[in-house]
Amino acid sequence: MKLPSLRIALLAALLPISALAASEQDDEVDPTKIDVRDAIECRLDAPTYNGFAMAVAGDDKLAAKLGWKLVKSNNFLLKEYDLPSPITVAGAYSTRRIAFTSTGVLAILDQPDPAVIAREEKIENAMPSDGLVDALVASGKVTRAQAEAQIKFRKFIGERVIRDETDPADGDHFRAHTRIALNVSNVASHPGKTLYGCSYKIELLDKDGNPL
């Protein structure tokens, strides 16, 4: 699928020639040929992923063609699909449930403790609850056991950056900042589950490197 000529013209006005060439090349990728496991495991570049995600939910109706069934989610930030057959990600975890976010795609895994997968992926928790437990204990109002019992949901969210690149300055051209990261997390809406996947972000910058 080629970019419409108007879209090419707009991109040419915004991006350096090298970035436009990369965009055109990536646009040649057929979204129907993309394996969702590659998207989840951060094996795609950002333009290819964006084309894939747009095809899934857009006019191409790729999800239906692949046999994916849209399912009701308990989290309005997640658009969930049930796959026709299981996929294996994160080494040996099998699932039929995936979810798209505003920036990426996740596998919903039957693992109640995200730290298990995170250790394997060398990902640390950016929101450990130990500090809150320590603060409650230090207050003298509760014991550690009581504090841990009060904090029933232990939030985990962490990432390992796979790619973080900014196009070099090129005169007055706008440029792009690309960031791809492998994520491990949990959410209260999905108890007993670990969310494992990849985020793909492209941010346009002005000639001075400031976000638009």
Side-chain angles (χ1 to χ4, degrees), residues 53-181:
M54 290 176 63
V56 167
D59 294 337
D60 292 342
K61 302 185 185 305
L62 180 58
K65 294 176 182 177
L66 295 173
W68 299 359
K69 293 183 179 180
L70 185 64
V71 295
K72 183 178 180 180
S73 176
N74 294 324
N75 189 321
F76 73 96
L77 297 176
L78 301 177
K79 189 169 186 178
E80 296 186 36
Y81 292 92
D82 185 63
L83 307 181
S85 58
I87 59 171
T88 299
V89 296
Y93 289 88
S94 178
T95 185
R96 284 181 48 181
R97 187 64 60 88
I98 64 170
F100 285 82
T101 69
S102 61
T103 59
V105 60
L106 306 165
I108 302 175
L109 306 178
D110 289 325
Q111 170 52 259
D113 184 3
V116 174
I117 296 176
R119 281 194 295 269
E120 297 170 356
E121 298 291 349
K122 299 180 180 179
I123 293 175
E124 296 183 359
N125 190 2
M127 294 182 62
S129 58
D130 293 343
L132 180 56
V133 171
D134 292 341
L136 289 173
V137 174
S139 71
K141 297 180 180 179
V142 296
T143 65
R144 179 166 294 276
Q146 290 172 328
E148 291 178 347
Q150 288 181 19
I151 306 174
K152 295 181 179 180
F153 176 69
R154 301 297 182 89
K155 179 63 180 175
F156 191 104
I157 183 168
E159 66 175 14
R160 174 163 51 85
V161 177
I162 305 298
R163 178 184 176 190
D164 192 338
E165 297 178 356
T166 300
D167 292 341
D170 185 12
D172 291 332
H173 284 289
F174 293 98
R175 47 198 173 122
H177 172 217
T178 299
R179 191 175 191 275
I180 300 174

